[in-house]
Amino acid sequence: MMRIISSLGARKNSLMFRLASMMVAMIISFSVSANQNSGVEKDALKAIEIAGISLNTPAEAIAKILQAKDYVPVNETVYTKQEAAPNGRSTIYRMEVEDTPTFRQLSYSRNITGGRNKSPSPRDAAIPTDEITAAQQLYELACAVPEEQQTQRACMPPAPANIIVGHGQWVAIDQHRSVLLKASDTSTSMMIRYIK
């Protein structure tokens, strides 16, 4: 009888040990999964390309990529290009890549300037196709959050002619990541900052 009781006790202890081991394994699995999702989200910011450049782009490749897109270097960090626009105007593109010991930042802008005829552009024109993907990705990164945070971040519903977050001002995603997004048919400003 004592052997049976002892055997049942050993089985119970063995079963408890297995259950405890399974619980620990599940907790570790959930923790690793949460950390991987957080890492994927942070990597998503670094992978967003503006004018072919992302935060992941090696410094030595930046000049070559931008020059292939007809940008001209102004200095070590700033590149610009100019294209003719309707009504005698010009479209000015500016790309800046800052890499300091504390942060890495991409800044992109497009503005229409000058011209003899100052007539306004049509307001229903769409954001240019070479900007729309980055604008949508930045919007998703900033605004795929609960409604209360969307309100805090001033996430305006996106439209073909404009995508705006934070009234065109910096929006902190977390302590390391910030974005600025104001994209429209007539002008665009997009910035990504990652604090190291």
Side-chain angles (χ1 to χ4, degrees):
M1 183 72 169
M2 288 302 282
R3 280 189 193 168
I4 294 172
I5 292 173
S6 178
S7 177
L8 288 174
R11 286 184 188 168
K12 182 179 175 185
N13 287 342
S14 176
L15 181 61
M16 292 299 284
F17 179 75
R18 283 189 216 158
L19 286 173
S21 296
M22 286 175 47
M23 291 297 286
V24 168
M26 285 174 51
I27 290 169
I28 291 170
S29 174
F30 286 134
S31 175
V32 168
S33 176
N35 286 339
Q36 286 175 343
N37 288 343
S38 176
V40 167
E41 194 174 282
K42 287 183 180 180
D43 287 344
L45 172 85
K46 290 182 178 181
I48 294 173
E49 286 190 2
I50 302 174
I53 304 296
S54 74
L55 291 176
N56 286 331
T57 303
E60 60 275 7
I62 291 170
K64 185 176 181 180
I65 292 168
L66 291 175
Q67 288 173 356
K69 294 178 176 283
D70 299 322
Y71 281 82
V72 176
V74 174
N75 58 38
E76 291 180 3
T77 62
V78 178
Y79 299 81
T80 62
K81 77 174 175 177
Q82 183 172 333
E83 295 177 345
N87 300 324
R89 296 179 172 190
S90 294
T91 302
I92 308 293
Y93 300 85
R94 184 179 190 276
M95 187 74 191
E96 183 173 4
V97 183
E98 296 178 76
D99 198 355
T100 74
T102 55
F103 70 90
R104 190 156 200 222
Q105 177 176 306
L106 301 182
S107 304
Y108 169 88
S109 66
R110 172 186 48 85
N111 294 292
I112 297 175
T113 62
R116 294 176 301 281
N117 183 349
K118 297 290 185 180
S119 62
S121 337
R123 293 304 309 148
D124 60 350
I127 298 167
T129 55
D130 56 342
E131 295 174 0
I132 194 70
T133 300
Q136 289 171 337
Q137 290 173 329
L138 288 173
Y139 183 88
E140 183 71 19
L141 185 71
C143 298
V145 293
E147 193 171 327
E148 184 180 323
Q149 278 185 290
Q150 288 181 14
T151 302
Q152 291 170 351
R153 294 178 179 181
C155 295
M156 296 177 61
N162 58 54
I163 301 176
I164 302 171
V165 174
H167 305 292
Q169 303 298 314
W170 280 107
V171 171
I173 304 302
D174 60 30
Q175 65 183 8
H176 293 286
R177 302 172 301 152
S178 300
V179 299
L180 182 149
L181 174 60
K182 185 177 182 183
S184 74
D185 59 327
T186 56
S187 68
T188 291
S189 294
M190 292 188 279
M191 297 185 194
I192 305 171
R193 178 183 292 164
Y194 183 79
I195 298 172
K196 299 173 184 175

